[in-house]
Amino acid sequence: MSDLPTLPVTFRPVTTRAVLLTAAVAILVVITTVAMLLKQLSPAERLSFVVTALLLDAVLLVLARPKVVADEDGVTVVNLTSKRRLEWAEILQVTLRAGDPWVFLNLSDGTSLPALGIQPGLAKQRAIADARALRALVETRSVASPERHQS
């Protein structure tokens, strides 16, 4: 198939990530600036402002973490606080239905794994294209469908 992405390929919500990282920088700069400009604050209070900004940034960085990485051997799904490596044969289906917040991978063990790295939030068409690309990769590389397997 000529429409398959070249491996390795990383899928991530680029627009969402850009917004989150920009917000993290802005929050740190604004809160730190306010802390330094308020002359009535003690050094400990100023430090508490900066620590609060860093904690907010940590949350935003966790929210910006999700991605799906496909390579020759399988797929790595990185969600907010977890990371899972899957062989191609473990993935039976890639789904992104209308209204879904992100892609779901239906697995051979009967479970479904959310893949937050492909989400239609701020870039719906990009998410649809990424989901189709991952679906095509799964269909061509799954050992469960040897007649479609490519080396």
Side-chain angles (χ1 to χ4, degrees):
M1 289 179 109
S2 60
D3 60 339
L4 287 177
T6 305
L7 296 178
V9 61
T10 300
F11 303 104
R12 64 175 52 186
V14 176
T15 305
T16 301
R17 183 176 165 86
V19 168
L20 290 168
L21 296 177
T22 302
V25 170
I27 286 170
L28 183 62
V29 168
V30 168
I31 291 178
T32 301
T33 302
V34 168
M36 297 307 138
L37 292 176
L38 293 174
K39 300 298 180 195
Q40 71 271 25
L41 296 180
S42 70
E45 289 170 325
R46 284 194 176 106
L47 180 62
S48 72
F49 270 64
V50 174
V51 169
T52 300
L54 291 172
L55 289 172
L56 290 170
D57 279 4
V59 170
L60 294 175
L61 293 176
V62 167
L63 292 173
R65 183 174 184 251
K67 65 182 175 180
V68 177
V69 180
D71 59 34
E72 293 293 335
D73 300 321
V75 175
T76 302
V77 177
V78 179
N79 286 332
L80 297 177
T81 59
S82 65
K83 179 178 179 178
R84 183 164 174 192
R85 178 74 183 163
L86 301 164
E87 299 297 320
W88 286 110
E90 293 179 79
I91 306 169
L92 300 179
Q93 188 178 29
V94 177
T95 61
L96 178 61
R97 295 179 298 260
D100 280 351
W102 40 72
V103 161
F104 289 91
L105 305 178
N106 295 328
L107 306 179
S108 59
D109 65 2
T111 63
S112 182
L113 177 67
L116 280 64
I118 303 175
Q119 50 182 266
L122 297 176
K124 185 176 181 179
Q125 295 308 313
R126 165 88 187 237
I128 291 169
D130 288 351
R132 286 181 178 150
L134 183 58
R135 183 179 302 129
L137 285 168
V138 167
E139 289 173 355
T140 59
R141 296 187 168 272
S142 176
V143 177
S145 305
E147 67 278 1
R148 291 188 274 179
H149 182 68
Q150 291 180 342
S151 357

